[in-house]
């Protein structure tokens, strides 16, 4: 499996790898080494090999060591640096595959697909394209980058033996755009929990002593396109409750400044991310789960992220952006309400509506627990195992 991150918090990859290892496959993940990880790790029956994408022998120059570059030049340097880091990942990951090829190469997102295609061409075997994001529809890439990725995806997607998508809308988009058979949809659901007892994990972590105050939880990345500034501003319009942002990302400093500027220190709290297998446990200590995206791209518009299903697994009522893929689950299963992610008052109104009536709130909690019988990894993992079983038969036929 190829993944262009450290694989420390990548819940989907870790679940897939564990499932395949338990089914008897020899699973290796080739990921990226960072300051918080080790080059080699064994866990849950599979191996993670992390490659260093930095320039060997080079150290980043501190900001005090040279004058700051102008904004445009600094952004250009960052793009160039990112490009060469990716090339180093390709080259160093290829060395691993060259020495120890596999039978099946699973590529997590378009960015790693060229590597899997090269491995298949060189060594044979099967190629799986697992589409996390619609890379060609990301908001933050330039038109030139988007055009390049589209050409690459159009060529490579037809060379994949199996294509997987994280939601129905994304699968339909890929099928329609590239004239391929509908990809297999494998949702980002967590494993089902044996028990659903509530806990005080978030309250204890943040020192919140009043159990009567609802906790409204957003967990995930603090990154552009999520509308987190609007979520923070919505806290001023809540009838009751506190907002907790659990995660990490480049926008954290700005969000903290916004909280201070608006005088919301007693309404908005921050806490760091937790391990993937602890997320649902922490969700179970909240009162409402928030899924917020802005319509900055088609990728966001079609999103059905991990957090949606983690809230469901925890038995939480949910409020979300009023996008079709989210609305089908949140309102279709009676879990909560949707809002306009660009309007803080709309966000607050959805949260207030969830918390306004205790009887209705209990019904939404029960609906979430019922939905967890449908949205769980035990069901979704069977689709992954079916794919690998089909491909294994092809490989057996090839060597018979």
């Amino acid at each position: 499996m190829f993944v262009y991150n450290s694989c420390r918090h990548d819940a989907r990859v870790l679940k897939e790898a564990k499932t395949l290892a338990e089914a008897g496959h020899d699973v290796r993940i080739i990921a990226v080494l960072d300051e918080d990880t080790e080059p080699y790790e064994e866990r849950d029956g599979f191996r993670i090999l992390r490659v260093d994408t930095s320039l060997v022998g080079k150290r980043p120059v501190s900001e005090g060591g040279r004058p700051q570059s102008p904004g445009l030049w600094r952004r250009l340097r960052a793009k160039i640096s990112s490009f060469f880091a990716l090339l180093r990942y390709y080259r160093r990951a290829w060395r691993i595959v060259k020495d120890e090829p596999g039978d099946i190469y699973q590529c997590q997102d378009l960015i790693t697909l060229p590597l899997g295609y090269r491995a298949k061409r060189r060594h044979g075997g099967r190629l799986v394209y697992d589409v996390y994001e619609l890379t060609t529809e990301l908001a933050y890439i330039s038109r030139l980058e988007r055009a390049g990725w589209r050409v690459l995806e159009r060529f490579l997607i037809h060379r994949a033996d199996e294509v997987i998508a994280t939601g129905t809308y994304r699968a339909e988009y890929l099928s329609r755009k590239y004239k391929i058979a509908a990809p297999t949809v494998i949702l980002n659901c967590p494993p089902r929990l044996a028990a659903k007892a509530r806990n005080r994990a978030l309250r204890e972590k943040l020192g919140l002593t009043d159990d009567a105050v609802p906790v409204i939880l957003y967990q995930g990345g603090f990154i552009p396109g999520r509308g987190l500034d609007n979520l923070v501003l919505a806290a001023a319009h809540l009838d009751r409750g506190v907002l907790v942002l659990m995660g990490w990302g480049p926008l954290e400093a700005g969000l903290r400044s916004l909280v201070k500027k608006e005088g919301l220190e007693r309404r908005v709290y921050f806490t760091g991310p937790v391990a993937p297998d602890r997320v649902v446990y922490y969700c179970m200590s909240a009162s409402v789960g928030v899924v917020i995206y802005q319509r900055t791209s088609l990728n966001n518009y079609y999103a059905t992220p991990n957090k949606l299903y983690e809230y469901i697994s925890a038995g939480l009522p949910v409020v979300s952006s009023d996008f079709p893929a989210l609305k089908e689950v949140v309102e279709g299963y009676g879990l909560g309400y949707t809002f306009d992610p660009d309007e803080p008052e709309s966000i607050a109104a959805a949260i207030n509506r969830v918390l306004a009536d205790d009887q209705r709130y209990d019904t939404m909690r029960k609906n979430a627990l019922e939905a967890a019988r449908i949205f769980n990894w035990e069901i979704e993992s069977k689709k992954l195992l079916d794919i690998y079983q089909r491909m294994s038969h092809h490989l057996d036929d090839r060597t018979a």
Side-chain angles (χ1 to χ4, degrees):
M1 301 174 77
F2 299 107
V3 55
Y4 194 57
N5 61 49
S6 70
C7 204
R8 186 181 177 208
H9 292 291
D10 197 323
R12 184 177 179 87
V13 175
L14 295 172
K15 283 184 301 194
E16 289 178 334
K18 182 180 179 181
T19 294
L20 294 171
E22 289 175 346
H25 296 278
D26 180 13
V27 180
R28 290 175 298 158
I29 300 173
I30 303 179
V32 176
L33 182 67
D34 64 16
E35 60 184 10
D36 297 319
T37 54
E38 297 296 328
Y40 183 81
E41 181 181 351
E42 290 187 16
R43 56 185 296 176
D44 296 325
F46 59 87
R47 296 172 286 162
I48 303 176
L49 292 77
R50 297 185 177 94
V51 299
D52 189 353
T53 61
S54 64
L55 282 170
V56 178
K58 297 282 187 179
R59 292 188 178 183
V61 177
S62 66
E63 292 184 356
R66 63 173 62 170
Q68 286 292 298
S69 306
L72 179 62
W73 174 238
R74 188 159 58 247
R75 289 195 298 271
L76 180 60
R77 285 182 58 202
K79 284 188 176 292
I80 293 172
S81 176
S82 296
F83 174 74
F84 282 104
L86 178 60
L87 290 184
R88 288 190 288 274
Y89 171 79
Y90 285 161
R91 185 172 65 251
R92 292 165 187 174
W94 174 249
R95 290 174 187 165
I96 297 173
V97 177
K98 184 179 178 182
D99 293 337
E100 192 180 347
D103 292 320
I104 300 172
Y105 303 99
Q106 181 164 325
C107 301
Q108 313 303 128
D109 256 334
L110 179 56
I111 199 166
T112 67
L113 193 55
L115 188 55
Y117 174 64
R118 183 184 180 189
K120 177 185 174 180
R121 290 262 300 178
R122 174 70 175 267
H123 300 295
R126 313 295 282 185
L127 178 62
V128 179
Y129 178 25
D130 191 358
V131 184
Y132 280 22
E133 310 278 1
L134 298 178
T135 302
T136 64
E137 300 294 339
L138 292 170
Y140 55 81
I141 64 175
S142 68
R143 289 185 179 180
L144 182 60
E145 288 174 297
R146 184 172 289 110
W149 285 119
R150 282 176 178 165
V151 170
L152 186 65
E153 187 167 49
R154 187 174 299 277
F155 175 77
L156 292 179
I157 201 167
H158 290 280
R159 273 74 185 172
D161 298 287
E162 296 281 351
V163 181
I164 300 170
T166 56
T168 302
Y169 283 85
R170 286 178 172 175
E172 290 174 350
Y173 166 87
L174 293 167
S175 178
R176 186 171 60 250
K177 185 174 183 65
Y178 297 117
K179 305 295 189 295
I180 61 171
T184 300
V185 175
I186 300 180
L187 303 175
N188 281 324
C189 301
R192 285 199 70 187
L193 296 180
K196 298 290 193 300
R198 304 293 294 274
N199 63 67
R200 302 189 71 258
L202 279 173
R203 296 178 191 275
E204 291 173 357
K205 194 173 185 183
L206 296 168
L208 302 174
T209 57
D210 189 350
D211 288 351
V213 176
V215 172
I216 296 96
L217 174 65
Y218 166 86
Q219 55 94 3
F222 302 159
I223 57 178
R226 299 288 174 91
L228 295 180
D229 52 346
N230 292 328
L231 179 58
V232 166
L233 294 174
H237 303 282
L238 294 177
D239 293 338
R240 60 196 183 103
V242 295
L243 172 65
V244 174
L245 304 179
M246 184 174 80
W248 76 104
L251 299 186
E252 182 172 350
L255 292 171
R256 287 181 179 274
S257 295
L258 179 61
V259 168
K260 186 174 182 180
K261 176 185 174 184
E262 298 294 326
L264 294 170
E265 292 93 339
R266 297 179 66 84
R267 302 298 300 271
V268 182
Y269 295 83
F270 293 82
T271 186
V274 298
D277 60 356
R278 298 290 287 169
V279 170
V280 174
Y281 176 78
Y282 275 86
C283 289
M284 290 167 63
S285 65
S287 309
V288 182
V290 180
V291 182
I292 182 168
Y293 287 86
Q294 290 177 298
R295 193 174 178 177
T296 55
S297 67
L298 200 60
N299 181 65
N300 275 10
Y301 191 59
Y302 288 159
T304 49
N306 294 24
K307 61 176 67 66
L308 171 62
Y309 305 109
E310 288 161 346
Y311 296 148
I312 291 172
S313 183
L316 286 188
V318 180
V319 295
S320 77
S321 299
D322 55 358
F323 299 165
L326 293 171
K327 199 167 188 175
E328 280 186 5
V329 178
V330 173
E331 295 189 354
Y333 286 85
L335 309 179
Y337 304 103
T338 58
F339 53 74
D340 181 345
D342 295 319
E343 296 293 337
E345 293 86 355
S346 177
I347 300 169
I351 297 169
N352 289 336
R353 191 178 177 192
V354 167
L355 295 171
D357 184 285
D358 289 344
Q359 185 174 353
R360 186 169 58 197
Y361 178 86
D362 288 341
T363 298
M364 288 185 284
R365 270 190 46 80
K366 290 176 183 176
N367 291 343
L369 294 174
E370 283 299 312
R373 297 174 180 270
I374 301 169
F375 300 114
N376 60 74
W377 185 244
E378 283 72 17
I379 289 177
E380 297 303 310
S381 64
K382 292 176 183 177
K383 305 174 191 177
L384 181 67
L385 293 174
D386 286 345
I387 288 173
Y388 271 73
Q389 186 175 28
R390 289 198 304 269
M391 290 191 295
S392 296
H393 285 323
H394 283 294
L395 293 169
D396 292 341
D397 292 342
R398 181 191 63 182
T399 56

